[in-house]
Amino acid sequence: MTPSVTACISTEGLTKQFPRVTALENLTVTTEAGVTGLVGANGAGKSTLIKILLGLQPATSGRAHVLGMDTATQGVDIRRVVGYMPEHDCLPPDVSATEFVVHMAQMSGLPRTAARERAADTLRHVGLYEERYRPIGGYSTGMRQRVKLAQALVHDPRLVFLDEPTNGLDPQGRDEMLALIRRIGADFGISVLVTSHLLGELERVCDHVIVIDSGRLLRSSSIGEFTQATQAIAVEVEDGLQSLAERLTAAGEAVAVQGRLLTVQVPAHDEAGRTYDAVRDAVCDLNLNLVRLEQRRGHIEDVFKEPAA
Ligand SMILES: Nc1ncnc2c1ncn2[C@@H]1O[C@H](COP(=O)(O)OP(=O)(O)OP(=O)(O)O)[C@@H](O)[C@H]1O
């Protein structure tokens, strides 16, 4: 099959078999330009997929293309236009961020002067300023992650692979890194494939999300489809959730108690809002204090609660 012209990444029946484990199993998936999240628990196969896409590891069977190039035969060409931020730290402690990123820029073919300029720009973009002249050995985890990100961007790639970029960061560092990833996609026009085992955080920055579990595809959808409003209402009251549930059940509504919330299913064609009226009337009749009444929204983690397709 010829890869789609607009596809960033496409795989067809991709399988990677290690002696004791199948890391990827018959994975067929396509991504377009933009920020794509690759989500899965530890060991799901995310890093293995990235290494195959970079042409660093061969697949056992199946095929993969990156920006139209075949990963089995064009790894060098792919790595010329794709940046890679590895999961694990591989930074030399005795050199400064500037020296390291200039070196990486020269490795990718830039002359020394251009490499120095690009490195300075890129380090500024990722938020490293005066610290960039100090040896990396004294950096915090957040600063080290930024150096890894800078070296992935310094050769002006069309696409970057970011493997667990928020690993080891505190909540503020995590927010800053996520904002940076959004900017890479939105302001610099570089497509991004970003992995995480934390499902919630990718909802904030991605256009599209791929969920894998034990090397198998669970779902690949736009973020809008993951988080779209569902046909259910969530209700929270101060006291009396059980009596509210009983009253609505008696009135013919489909309800379920989930902790402090009551979810009420809305029939597909309830244009008149009859279910909302029923909830309002029941709350009123029982004289309950309403805390929340809202349409439920899905989350990426809901995929893991759905039965496998
Ligand atoms: N070189 C290898 N040899 C043997 N098994 C491997 C190798 N690389 C990965 N694996 C196994 O393949 C599976 C997928 O690993 P992979 O690193 O791709 O997962 P991951 O989703 O990136 O998780 P993590 O974030 O923990 O690295 C795991 O069971 C892992 O132990």
Side-chain angles (χ1 to χ4, degrees), residues 137-149:
Y139 284 11
S140 66
T141 306
M143 289 160 71
R144 300 168 78 89
Q145 293 291 62
R146 285 164 196 259
V147 179
K148 283 201 290 174
L149 181 59

Side-chain angles (χ1 to χ4, degrees), residues 202-245:
L202 291 183
E203 279 178 13
R204 291 155 53 189
V205 294
C206 294
D207 305 306
H208 191 99
V209 173
I210 297 167
V211 186
I212 58 173
D213 188 28
S214 305
R216 286 190 292 266
L217 180 68
L218 274 192
R219 186 160 163 186
S220 171
S221 314
S222 72
I223 199 72
E225 285 171 44
F226 271 106
T227 57
Q228 71 189 343
T230 54
Q231 294 283 82
I233 307 170
V235 189
E236 186 179 350
V237 290
E238 259 176 23
D239 288 303
L241 197 67
Q242 201 54 47
S243 42
L244 180 61

Side-chain angles (χ1 to χ4, degrees), residues 18-19 21 23 40-49 57 87-88 163-164:
F18 289 114
V21 65
N42 289 331
K46 306 180 296 291
S47 303
T48 302
L49 176 60
Q57 264 185 14
E87 177 180 4
H88 297 294
D163 200 355
E164 300 271 2

Side-chain angles (χ1 to χ4, degrees), residues 127-235:
L128 280 176
Y129 298 95
E130 293 312 308
E131 316 87 300
R132 67 183 189 268
Y133 300 114
R134 296 209 321 255
I136 294 172
Y139 284 11
S140 66
T141 306
M143 289 160 71
R144 300 168 78 89
Q145 293 291 62
R146 285 164 196 259
V147 179
K148 283 201 290 174
L149 181 59
Q151 64 76 34
L153 294 170
V154 75
H155 62 306
D156 203 13
R158 290 168 57 196
L159 169 67
V160 277
F161 296 152
L162 311 179
D163 200 355
E164 300 271 2
T166 58
N167 244 6
L169 300 182
D170 60 20
Q172 188 191 337
R174 200 172 278 280
D175 284 349
E176 288 169 3
M177 179 57 78
L178 292 171
L180 213 46
I181 293 168
R182 191 66 231 167
R183 278 186 58 211
I184 293 169
D187 298 354
F188 307 154
I190 299 171
S191 290
V192 178
L193 180 74
V194 51
T195 79
S196 178
H197 62 280
L198 298 171
L199 310 176
E201 65 180 25
L202 291 183
E203 279 178 13
R204 291 155 53 189
V205 294
C206 294
D207 305 306
H208 191 99
V209 173
I210 297 167
V211 186
I212 58 173
D213 188 28
S214 305
R216 286 190 292 266
L217 180 68
L218 274 192
R219 186 160 163 186
S220 171
S221 314
S222 72
I223 199 72
E225 285 171 44
F226 271 106
T227 57
Q228 71 189 343
T230 54
Q231 294 283 82
I233 307 170
V235 189

Side-chain angles (χ1 to χ4, degrees), residues 242-257 262-264 282:
Q242 201 54 47
S243 42
L244 180 61
E246 285 163 14
R247 169 66 71 102
L248 288 168
T249 306
E253 305 295 340
V255 305
V257 176
L262 184 69
T263 54
V264 188

